[in-house]
């Protein structure tokens, strides 16, 4: 299988530069880890992708995929099915490119997310929970529209990989990069860029314990299927997908390891990011930080970057997490 | 009176580049204003200074002031009196420069702020609420230490002005910059840089209605004193100071106007910044955004940047603000 290359990621970077936010690395002088790493720890930086216009890194892959379409394809528009950040990412990218987007969402999607997607000018098609994929493919065949998948495409992987380019540009001596794993597009892209530019650096995936199918798959050397009902137990609603053949091939080759975090650790990391880093992160966006805060003894020591992948959290949940008394980090 | 120049600000930018975060401008596709500006509005960008290592812009001025000290002065260390963001800024800057810092704080300062200041390696001196200034000057005379003031110094003004440099660098066609006003160091510096680089742009100060002494002073053409008790009514605890002769001279010459915001508008802007921009802002840090959201009809139309100056909010207050039902912005 042909994997995405550093050149692909660089080309993506040039394509999306004018529409995505060039997020900085944020040093964390407040950080303490679970074990005493003071002697050889070299610190933590956050890559705040929650600050992208739609509140998540997904905007990078969507923009790159759409920028790659030729004129005929653009005239027919794009389609995506998603109830999450990918929906808004495709809507935003289509609007920026001036093309039509149909987003197929389950009728059960919270109203706010439907409205946010519509606000970018996309046509939202509400369907039954099981019909998303079928309806999306109907639109593809009827209109000749192009389906933009959330992770299973080289252009999407290359787009997400631009985060890795920026990390190495801002911190050339980076040793460890922590990145959430769900469908694996983000982890594949970031690992591609970081390990190509800095072969000694280690990119480590992070999953919720309750949806750690990718960790089990890496251990088994082949993709292991977890039942949907199991994966949907985690509060990290953006991390319930499984890698595809394409992303799994990237993860096997380029990811150093996967560590898992508990639900309590995820909630605690959401609170710490708000209290200490002044960032609003959604649970899925906080898992990499949680791994650093609570699983330092499973990580290589060195200059570490945690990708804060998104910030679309229900305000009531954020309020609840903040109202919980702080642990020793305060 | 000699005012700070663009060259001073540029020199400050070179001095502090390695220790402050180069914050991006964040576009706000979600924004709606109080009046229908859709026809000729050109959008809002946020300058998130709450993402600096100490959670506030104050780090810029403190670093510049300390970087300007000669070797003899460095050997004697620095002093500051503050219970707020300036305390941590001076502690951070002194640590980065490898010099001693004494920070004089009222004994009533919340423990978290004392600990945060100590965590940067500063010597915290707790004193009675009225003794801060006197004790700071004692340390100055005993040790020959240099006092770093929170705003009343050209080096501090020039440091804060680097925010203006970055705004014009990232958005050369900026029309309006909204910036909080308290002691006026931030507004003086930003107005100096922005109006020098883009003479047609307007820098507009924002104050809480309950502490709008600077607005009254500008109207009167001279500094008008407000009683401390009056200024302390606002929830925006970072905006209770008054301009000095030096900062007032800058504001008169370089600020286009000052608009005021209510306490409810400040709380609402804190909530909107968390919900929509995924930023944790303190009340003082949210006033510029509040002006854009609620006083659009008092502002010039055009590409507008609001400076989010700080994010050190009590988590319980943030939780409370988030638990309040959202207005029409949701």
């Amino acid at each position: 299988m042909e994997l995405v290359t550093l050149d692909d990621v660089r080309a993506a970077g040039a394509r999306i530069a004018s529409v995505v936010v060039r997020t900085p690395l944020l040093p964390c002088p407040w950080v303490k880890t679970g074990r005493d790493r003071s002697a050889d720890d070299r610190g933590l930086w956050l890559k705040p992708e929650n600050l992208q216009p739609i509140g998540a890194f997904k905007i990078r892959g969507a923009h790159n995929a759409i920028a790659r379409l030729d004129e005929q394809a653009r005239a027919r528009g794009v389609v995506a099915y998603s109830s999450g950040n990918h929906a808004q990412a495709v809507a935003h990218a289509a609007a920026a490119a001036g093309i039509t987007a149909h987003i197929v969402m389950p009728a059960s999607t919270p109203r706010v997310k439907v409205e946010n997607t519509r606000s970018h000018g996309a046509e939202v098609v509400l369907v039954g929970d099981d019909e998303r994929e079928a309806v999306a493919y109907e639109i593809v065949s009827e209109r000749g529209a192009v389906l933009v998948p959330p992770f299973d495409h080289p252009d999407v992987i290359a787009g997400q990989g631009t985060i890795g380019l920026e990390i190495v540009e801002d911190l050339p001596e980076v040793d460890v990069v922590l990145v959430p794993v769900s469908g694996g597009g983000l982890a594949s892209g970031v690992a591609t860029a970081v390990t190509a530019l800095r072969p000694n650096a280690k990119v480590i995936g992070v999953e919720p314990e309750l949806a750690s199918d990718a960790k089990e798959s890496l251990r088994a050397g082949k993709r292991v299927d977890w039942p949907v009902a199991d994966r949907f137990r985690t509060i990290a609603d953006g991390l319930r997908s499984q890698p595809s053949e394409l992303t799994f091939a990237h993860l096997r080759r380029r990811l150093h390891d996967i560590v898992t975090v508990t639900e309590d650790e995820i909630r605690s990391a959401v609170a710490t990011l708000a209290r200490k880093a002044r960032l609003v992160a959604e649970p899925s966006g906080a898992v990499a930080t949680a791994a650093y805060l609570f699983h330092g003894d499973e990580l290589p020591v060195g200059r570490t970057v945690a990708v804060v992948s998104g910030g679309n959290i229900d305000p009531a949940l954020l309020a609840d997490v903040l109202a919980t008394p702080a642990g020793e980090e305060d």
Side-chain angles (χ1 to χ4, degrees), chain A:
Chain A
M1 189 176 296
E2 209 172 319
L3 301 194
V4 169
T5 68
L6 177 60
D7 283 346
D8 296 332
V9 180
R10 284 191 165 132
R15 270 180 220 115
I16 70 176
S18 65
V19 281
V20 306
V21 170
R22 176 62 170 79
T23 53
L25 288 185
L26 306 176
C28 303
W30 47 266
V31 86
K32 288 178 197 145
T33 53
R35 63 169 172 174
D36 180 10
R37 296 163 56 123
S38 52
D40 40 15
D41 191 7
R42 310 249 176 74
L44 175 69
W45 285 258
L46 302 173
K47 179 73 169 168
E49 287 295 302
N50 59 325
L51 303 183
Q52 294 294 348
I54 61 139
F57 73 95
K58 295 258 178 193
I59 196 171
R60 295 176 183 257
H63 271 283
N64 189 49
I66 286 177
R68 294 265 287 158
L69 299 179
D70 63 26
E71 217 168 299
Q72 283 187 316
R74 280 164 189 254
R76 295 190 301 263
V78 293
V79 185
Y81 55 94
S82 162
S83 57
N85 293 329
H86 181 57
Q88 288 189 60
V90 172
H92 187 279
I99 70 178
T100 309
H102 284 80
I103 311 291
V104 184
M105 304 180 108
S108 59
T109 306
R111 195 180 56 84
V112 175
K113 293 191 173 183
V114 173
E115 288 310 318
N116 283 344
T117 306
R118 279 204 183 114
S119 74
H120 297 294
E123 189 78 32
V124 173
V125 185
L126 295 174
V127 300
D129 281 12
D130 301 339
E131 304 172 310
R132 293 198 304 172
E133 211 168 325
V135 171
Y137 278 104
E138 257 172 47
I139 297 171
V140 167
S141 66
E142 275 170 19
R143 306 176 59 103
V146 177
L147 185 82
V148 182
F151 54 85
D152 188 26
H153 195 287
D155 294 339
V156 174
I157 293 172
Q160 324 301 29
T162 57
I163 292 169
L165 288 187
E166 295 174 5
I167 288 172
V168 178
E169 192 172 291
D170 288 355
L171 188 68
E173 65 276 29
V174 61
D175 297 307
V176 182
V177 177
L178 303 172
V179 59
V181 176
S182 179
L186 173 63
S188 295
V190 169
T192 295
V194 170
T195 58
L197 290 166
R198 188 164 162 84
N200 287 335
K202 294 176 174 67
V203 179
I204 295 176
V206 184
E207 284 187 310
E209 239 176 59
L210 295 183
S212 55
D213 56 284
K215 179 173 181 166
E216 192 182 329
S217 298
L218 281 186
R219 296 280 184 276
K222 62 179 170 54
R223 289 198 296 155
V224 178
D225 222 21
W226 278 35
V228 170
D230 282 3
R231 287 183 269 130
F232 269 60
R233 293 170 302 173
T234 178
I235 193 177
D237 56 355
L239 302 182
R240 295 166 175 167
S241 295
Q242 300 190 130
S244 64
E245 284 297 336
L246 178 67
T247 55
F248 187 61
H250 285 77
L251 301 185
R252 284 191 74 175
R253 286 276 294 278
R254 294 171 179 168
L255 213 57
H256 179 71
D257 198 4
I258 290 186
V259 301
T260 62
V261 293
T262 68
E263 300 295 296
D264 279 352
E265 289 165 356
I266 294 171
R267 288 175 61 99
S268 177
V270 167
T272 298
L273 285 167
R275 287 165 182 266
K276 299 292 191 175
R278 297 99 189 170
L279 293 173
V280 174
E282 61 188 273
S284 309
V287 296
T289 307
Y292 188 86
L293 294 175
F294 299 108
H295 296 269
D297 51 353
E298 299 167 44
L299 301 176
V301 168
R303 297 170 197 86
T304 302
V305 174
V307 177
V308 179
S309 53
N312 292 319
I313 186 174
D314 178 356
L317 172 59
L318 178 59
D320 182 50
V321 164
L322 283 170
T324 308
E328 58 161 10
E329 79 274 10
D330 251 8

